[in-house]
Amino acid sequence: MFVNRVFMNKTPLIAAMLLIVVAVMFHMPNGAEQIISQAEAGKTTASVGGIKSAPLVTTHNKWRKSVGVPPLRWSSALARDAQAWAEVLSKKSCRMRHSKQQQHGENIFWASAQRWSDGRRETQNISGEAVVNNWASEVRDYNYKKNKCRLGRQCGHYTQVVARRTQKVGCGMAVCPDKGQMWVCRYDPPGNIAGHRPY
């Protein structure tokens, strides 16, 4: 498992953030799905997890534009599934675990609680933009020519964010009992196909 620690300087005590991703798949029942364009996402607040869809879509699309691939659209169905998995993880001591679904790509992000010197714990104020940028920062460890991560490094979060074949994204966030938080984004179709470059 790859561990990436990011440190927050809000208090003398340091809170660590961990992220992990694997492009895995999920079976969703057929049914109506609301697809929201980037322009519409800018006016919409996602109802699941209380997160805003606009920063998530916009930040994904900023990275996608940088490599010349089409923008993603927000999917309410993917967001519901992502939210459901974030809630499962949040109830299991906030432990990182990928779902067994096999239809969609999946990125997962975890952040610890903010700890104060008097012992209080609070949920950190982390934006969707910060979550996506953290995944995409793995670009520094991706070698496009060889289509591999740098030796000993992880880059699957980044390659899922910019995967050309992916058209839709939906995300959710849940707060853990210890005030940590779990973010999950689901992607359709999934990226990170073995033997294929993301773009």
Side-chain angles (χ1 to χ4, degrees):
M1 176 184 348
F2 169 71
V3 176
N4 179 14
R5 289 194 169 88
V6 178
F7 298 99
M8 307 298 286
N9 294 319
K10 290 185 178 179
T11 69
L13 299 175
I14 298 174
M17 298 165 69
L18 170 73
L19 68 96
I20 187 170
V21 69
V22 172
V24 292
M25 325 224 131
F26 184 82
H27 173 35
M28 279 178 52
N30 292 329
E33 177 179 7
Q34 182 182 10
I35 303 296
I36 302 172
S37 69
Q38 183 173 355
E40 291 168 321
K43 304 171 190 170
T44 305
T45 299
S47 59
V48 290
I51 61 172
K52 294 181 180 177
S53 58
L56 290 156
V57 173
T58 301
T59 310
H60 273 90
N61 288 339
K62 174 191 79 171
W63 286 98
R64 293 173 68 82
K65 184 177 181 181
S66 74
V67 296
V69 299
L72 296 180
R73 295 168 291 151
W74 182 261
S75 162
S76 58
L78 289 175
R80 281 191 301 272
D81 288 339
Q83 181 64 35
W85 188 243
E87 288 173 7
V88 167
L89 294 176
S90 74
K91 292 179 173 98
K92 295 189 178 289
S93 303
C94 250
R95 292 182 61 190
M96 304 295 296
R97 186 162 53 93
H98 285 282
S99 61
K100 294 180 181 177
Q101 55 90 16
Q102 298 187 352
Q103 187 177 343
H104 300 121
E106 182 176 85
N107 277 4
I108 301 177
F109 176 95
W110 170 83
S112 67
Q114 178 71 54
R115 297 180 186 191
W116 297 91
S117 56
D118 63 3
R120 285 180 298 130
R121 288 172 165 255
E122 292 180 356
T123 300
Q124 293 189 63
N125 185 15
I126 297 174
S127 68
E129 179 182 14
V131 170
V132 178
N133 281 335
N134 203 323
W135 288 329
S137 69
E138 291 177 0
V139 63
R140 66 183 176 264
D141 296 317
Y142 176 62
N143 183 319
Y144 181 80
K145 187 174 180 181
K146 295 180 179 179
N147 192 30
K148 324 179 145 172
C149 303
R150 194 156 52 100
L151 188 62
R153 306 297 298 195
Q154 177 71 24
C155 61
H157 306 89
Y158 166 70
T159 54
Q160 175 58 83
V161 167
V162 297
R164 179 183 295 278
R165 72 189 305 265
T166 301
Q167 299 172 9
K168 298 178 286 186
V169 64
C171 306
M173 187 275 283
V175 175
C176 307
D178 68 355
K179 304 292 186 184
Q181 60 193 281
M182 223 24 117
W183 291 71
V184 176
C185 285
R186 292 267 173 90
Y187 302 87
D188 184 50
N192 292 342
I193 304 301
H196 295 268
R197 285 186 171 85
Y199 51 87

